[in-house]
Structures are given as C-alpha cells and as structure tokens.
Amino acid sequence: MSRLNQIKQFLGSFQSRIFIAFTLLTLLIAIAFMIIMANNEIQNYRQRSREKARLLATILADSVKLPLFSGDVATLKTLADTLLETPQVAHVVIADHDQRVLVERFSKYIHSPPSDMTTEGMPVHATASTPSVDSALSGGPATQSPPFGSVRVSIDTRDLKLSIRNTLFKTGAVVLVFWLAVLAATYPILKRITRSFDVLTQGLGTMMEGDFSLKIPVESDDEAGRATQAVNRLASALEERETENRNLQAELVNALQLEIQEEKRKFMAKMIQTNRMTSLGLLISSMAHNINTPNGAIKLAGHYIQRSWKDLLPILEGVTKDEGDFQVGGLQFSEAKTEFSSAAESICRNAERVERVIHDLRAYNVGERSAFAPGVSVNQAVEGALTIVRAHGSQAQVKIVHRLDPALPTITGNQNQIEQVVVNLLLNAMQATPGNAEGITITTCHIPLQHEIQIIVMDEGEGLPELVAQNLFKPFTSTRIDKGGSGLGLYISNFIITEHKGRIEFSSNSPQGTIVTVCLPVIPAGDC
C-alpha cells in the first residue's frame, strides 16, 4: 500500500476523527489562552499609561499653581517644555478657570495620531494653608477651593503594539510547545484505545463484501468488545437470512414466471377482443350501408302510405255511410282505420329510429360526438331502455320493477345516449342476477338540493369482486370476457355520463347485490 493510500485510510478512520477533534479542541484552548493573555497585556498597558499620565498631570498641576494664578504665561511654557522632555509625553495643555487655553505645547520627537495617545486631565486648586473652622471642629480634611485652572497631559502609547507582539510571541511559543507535547503524549493512548474499533471496522469491511462467516475476535470487555459481540451475532443472523432469501428468490422467480404467463394470456385475450372490436367497426360501417338502403325504402313507403291513407280515409268513410260498415284485413272498417293509422305511424317512427341508431353507431365508430339538446326526458329514456331490454329477450327469468318519478324535470343531453347507458346497466344487472332472485329495481328521482336527477339500478346478484371494483371504468375490464363480454360497457357508459357533466357511483346492496347510481345535472350544461 502506497504512502498516499495509507494517509487516505487514516483520514477516513474513526481514530483519525477522534485525533483531529482532540487536536482542534486543544488548539482552540491554546488560542483562547493566547487571546486572554494578549487582552490582559493590553488592559495592563493602558492602565499603566493612564496612571502615568494622571501622575504627570498631578505633578504639573502642583507646579503651575503660582504662575497660573499670577498669569505668568512664560513660566507656564517653561514648565510645559520641561514636562515634554519626559519620555512618552507628546502633548501638554494648560487652561485657566474659563477653560481658555493659555499654553499648548507638542513634543518635537513624537508625532502620533490621537488614537495612539492616552490623555489625562487634572484641575488646579489653591490649597488652603490652614484648615477651616468646620474642618477643624469635625476633624475632616481641609475644604478644597474651586479650581482656577486645569492641565491635560497626553502620552504616546505606540509601543503598545510592540508589547502585544512580544507577549503573543512568548505566549505562542509556550502554547505551541504545550500543544505539541500534549499531542505527542495523547496519540499513543488514543491509538491503544481505538485498536478495538480498528479490528471491528476491518471485520465489518469483510462482511460488506458478502462474507458473513467471519467472526471478529473480541479483544476487551468494554463498549467496543460488546459491540463486536453484537456484530458477530448479527453476522450469524444475516447468514441465516441470506440462505432464506435465496430460497425465497427461487420461489419468487417461479411465481413471477407463472404470473407473466397469466398476464400474457390476459393480454392476448384483450388483443383478440380489440381485433373483434375493430372487425365490429368494419361490420358496422358495412351494416349501416346495407341497412340504410332498405330502411330508406321502408321510410319512404311509410310516408307514402300515411299520405295515401289521409286521402283514402274520407272516401272510405263516405262509403261506410252509404253502404254500411265493411271488413278490411279481417277487421271492421270502424276499428281497422285506427289500427291502420297507428301501423303507418309506427312504420315511419321505427324507420326513423333505425336510421338514428345506424347514425349513432357510425358516429361512435368514427369518434363523432352526438349533439346535446334541451328538454330531454330521463323517464322516456328509461322506458325506451326497458322496451329494448324486453325485446332483447333477456328478461325471461328476471323481473324488472320500475318506479319513475312523474314530476321529474327535463335536462340538457342526448336521450339516445342516456338510453344506451340504462340498457348497459340493466343488461349487467340481469347477467349478474340469478334466476331465482327477486329481480331488479330501477328508480328515478329528483334531488333539488343537489340540482341533479338520479337513476338508481339495484340488483340482488353476486356483487362486485374487489379487483373488478377497483377497475370498473377501465376498458376490457369484465368478469365475462370468456363468455363473450367486451369489457367496454361501463367504460362507454362512464364516458357518456361524464360528457353529460354527471357521474356514476357503485355501492353494495346488503346483504348481496349492487346499487348503481347515475347522477345527471338538472341545470342545462352550456358547454355540452
């Protein structure tokens, strides 16, 4: 191992972290000690400077009493110049009792800014030769007269930096020697303490490579030794779990293979169903063309019969008045004329219905959206759906009970599409209801507070499996795909109701069966 790798390994070890932390802590303590020493030196130097300036100011104040009192400026200048010859004295000011400066002298040898000087002032008093009567009786000090002048002395403190530098140098040398001595003494102790952790770390590194059979030796009965014992127990448990995981992985692979085969089978079934729907779309296009032609002829013939009957009816009624009632198609004319009119109207109405259904099939096949219109009766859509279901022939063994609200308001929508939704729901309910059940109930009602109409379909069938309930509105979701179901009924129904700004809700019908609620808004949907 190279020297660089050894350094990297040491820096990344627990031992190096403790050593670095202890080193930094010792260094901080040493720096704090140096700062305290320097601060004390600064405070002491400034205190000495203030005391020296105060002492010089006191001496000067005693010297200038008589000259200041007599106004002898020349003597005051001589005294100031004499004081300036004292080392470190940079500036002397003598003022009278009105603080008017009489003498201001600067040193010729010291040129320091005010920030590097310490200034002290002292008032000049006239000391009484004998104590006053009050002080003599009280035994106190003699009363001091008011000052009749003042002196200020400024001394140079530039050598403070040199003093601080010397202090820091001496203190730093002592601290550095102390710090190195502490590190040299603590490193072997620290290495001895962390040796157990080094052994533990090496063992954990081996386990990280996947070898759980290694047992780390326990060197001491301290925290590191107990941690090593716990790691050994954990390694044994992990080795057992690894064996179990290999067995579980083998079982999981087998289960996934089976599941993939099952999903593949379902996917192929959906693909087949998609192909069937594609073929159905082509069949619808062909059927629409083949049915529209004869249906157009039937519709034209029905309108011709209606117009012809309107022309023949007065003539035949006249014949009846002249010659009496006669038979037409096995019925008396008085009865047959009503049936004939109804039959002609039925031919035209059903031809138009066939034309509308073919149009809707083609529109659905090409993705065209049918137009919405106001005034749609939900009850009529339900009745039309019941007629289709009865004609479908699927109602033979299941009874359908309908309870329609006669005061139901109209909505904005497409009656044929709503009728298609009801047909899908009824067929689903009939296919899920056993033959010996009571049957199916379809109800319509108005909920004014929610501004909506509800179509409720209740059955007593087998209910919805949980997996199917979670995917109700997804395409190709059905429990009868293998029996011919497309899995698209609810998907299309939900799409239609969503286009009507409504919703479809499913719930359980205790003790068995399903309740399907279709909610449609009463307020006209302007966006539809």
Side-chain angles (χ1 to χ4, degrees):
M1 182 181 298
S2 64
R3 189 67 178 176
L4 181 60
N5 291 334
Q6 290 179 353
I7 295 175
K8 290 183 179 179
Q9 184 177 1
F10 172 75
L11 293 177
S13 64
F14 175 70
Q15 177 182 349
S16 69
R17 293 191 183 98
I18 297 178
F19 181 72
I20 292 172
F22 183 77
T23 302
L24 293 177
L25 178 61
T26 308
L27 181 61
L28 290 176
I29 294 174
I31 293 174
F33 177 73
M34 291 179 62
I35 293 173
I36 293 172
M37 290 293 294
N39 186 58
N40 288 337
E41 178 64 22
I42 293 171
Q43 297 297 328
N44 291 336
Y45 184 88
R46 287 177 177 174
Q47 182 65 25
R48 292 194 302 269
S49 299
R50 285 194 294 268
E51 291 176 354
K52 182 176 180 180
R54 192 179 299 114
L55 178 60
L56 294 175
T58 303
I59 295 172
L60 181 61
D62 290 337
S63 303
V64 300
K65 287 180 181 180
L66 293 176
L68 181 61
F69 184 76
S70 62
D72 187 0
V73 177
T75 304
L76 294 176
K77 290 182 179 180
T78 302
L79 293 173
D81 291 336
T82 302
L83 185 62
L84 286 173
E85 294 177 359
T86 304
Q88 293 184 317
V89 177
H91 184 209
V92 177
V93 177
I94 302 174
D96 60 7
H97 65 282
D98 293 329
Q99 297 300 318
R100 183 167 57 87
V101 177
L102 300 177
V103 176
E104 183 176 8
R105 310 293 283 178
F106 293 92
S107 174
K108 299 178 181 179
Y109 309 104
I110 302 175
H111 305 282
S112 300
S115 59
D116 289 338
M117 291 190 295
T118 298
T119 303
E120 290 290 336
M122 189 65 64
V124 180
H125 297 276
T127 307
S129 58
T130 58
S132 64
V133 177
D134 293 336
S135 61
L137 292 175
S138 63
T143 304
Q144 202 171 34
S145 62
F148 61 88
S150 64
V151 297
R152 292 197 307 273
V153 178
S154 300
I155 64 174
D156 183 22
T157 59
R158 286 183 298 175
D159 57 346
L160 173 62
K161 298 179 180 178
L162 179 60
S163 177
I164 294 174
R165 190 181 301 111
N166 293 334
T167 302
L168 290 177
F169 178 76
K170 295 177 182 178
T171 308
V174 174
V175 167
L176 180 61
V177 172
F178 170 77
W179 183 53
L180 294 176
V182 170
L183 295 183
T186 55
Y187 181 75
I189 299 174
L190 182 62
K191 188 174 182 181
R192 171 65 181 173
I193 293 173
T194 57
R195 186 171 61 182
S196 300
F197 291 100
D198 293 338
V199 176
L200 178 60
T201 303
Q202 294 175 1
L204 289 174
T206 304
M207 292 180 184
M208 288 177 60
E209 296 175 358
D211 184 8
F212 298 111
S213 61
L214 176 66
K215 301 302 177 185
I216 304 174
V218 180
E219 295 189 353
S220 59
D221 192 18
D222 53 5
E223 287 78 4
R226 288 190 288 273
T228 302
Q229 293 176 0
V231 170
N232 288 334
R233 290 193 296 268
L234 178 62
S236 299
L238 290 175
E239 189 175 8
E240 295 177 0
R241 296 295 184 275
E242 187 177 11
T243 303
E244 294 177 1
N245 287 338
R246 283 196 293 266
N247 297 332
L248 289 176
Q249 287 177 359
E251 295 177 1
L252 180 61
V253 169
N254 295 332
L256 286 176
Q257 290 177 349
L258 295 176
E259 185 176 354
I260 291 172
Q261 293 177 358
E262 180 66 19
E263 289 295 327
K264 181 179 179 181
R265 187 188 65 81
K266 292 181 180 179
F267 179 76
M268 292 303 298
K270 291 180 180 180
M271 291 296 295
I272 294 173
Q273 188 65 27
T274 303
N275 291 333
R276 290 174 58 192
M277 295 302 297
T278 304
S279 301
L280 181 60
L282 297 175
L283 179 61
I284 288 173
S285 300
S286 176
M287 182 179 66
H289 175 74
N290 293 329
I291 292 178
N292 272 337
T293 300
N295 185 67
I298 294 173
K299 182 178 178 181
L300 180 63
H303 287 299
Y304 180 77
I305 292 173
Q306 277 187 316
R307 291 194 301 269
S308 300
W309 177 248
K310 289 180 182 179
D311 295 338
L312 289 174
L313 184 60
I315 298 173
L316 294 177
E317 287 179 345
V319 172
T320 303
K321 290 180 181 179
D322 296 339
E323 299 182 3
D325 202 2
F326 57 91
Q327 288 188 348
V328 177
L331 295 175
Q332 295 297 323
F333 176 73
S334 57
E335 298 177 1
K337 64 181 182 179
T338 303
E339 294 294 331
F340 193 87
S341 298
S342 299
E345 291 177 1
S346 178
I347 291 172
C348 294
R349 185 173 62 253
N350 284 285
E352 291 176 355
R353 183 179 180 85
V354 170
E355 182 180 6
R356 191 165 54 249
V357 169
I358 295 300
H359 177 269
D360 289 344
L361 285 174
R362 295 183 64 183
Y364 177 76
N365 185 43
V366 298
E368 180 183 343
R369 178 177 172 179
S370 299
F372 286 6
V376 174
S377 172
V378 174
N379 283 342
Q380 289 182 3
V382 173
E383 290 174 350
L386 290 171
T387 302
I388 293 174
V389 170
R390 293 191 184 102
H392 189 268
S394 303
Q395 196 188 345
Q397 298 179 351
V398 180
K399 179 181 179 182
I400 300 179
V401 178
H402 59 281
R403 301 188 182 97
L404 308 182
D405 184 359
L408 211 62
T410 59
I411 65 170
T412 297
N414 187 300
Q415 183 169 330
N416 291 330
Q417 290 184 353
I418 298 175
E419 183 178 301
Q420 178 184 354
V421 171
V422 177
V423 169
N424 287 338
L425 296 179
L426 288 174
L427 291 177
N428 287 342
M430 292 166 60
Q431 292 169 352
T433 303
N436 56 357
E438 293 186 3
I440 300 169
T441 302
I442 182 170
T443 307
T444 60
C445 60
H446 179 212
I447 312 297
L449 294 178
Q450 299 180 9
H451 303 288
E452 65 183 17
I453 292 174
Q454 292 185 353
I455 306 172
I456 304 172
V457 180
M458 296 186 294
D459 63 61
E460 297 183 357
E462 301 174 354
L464 291 173
E466 183 178 357
L467 181 60
V468 176
Q470 295 175 355
N471 303 279
L472 278 174
F473 299 126
K474 293 183 178 180
F476 306 111
T477 299
S478 175
T479 58
R480 297 184 302 275
I481 287 183
D482 53 348
K483 298 180 181 179
S486 65
L488 295 172
L490 288 178
Y491 172 71
I492 296 173
S493 299
N494 182 62
F495 175 79
I496 292 173
I497 298 302
T498 302
E499 289 290 299
H500 283 75
K501 310 299 181 184
R503 65 186 185 279
I504 302 178
E505 299 175 350
F506 286 81
S507 60
S508 299
N509 184 17
S510 181
Q512 62 181 2
T514 305
I515 300 177
V516 184
T517 304
V518 179
C519 304
L520 295 168
V522 175
I523 300 176
D527 296 336
C528 294

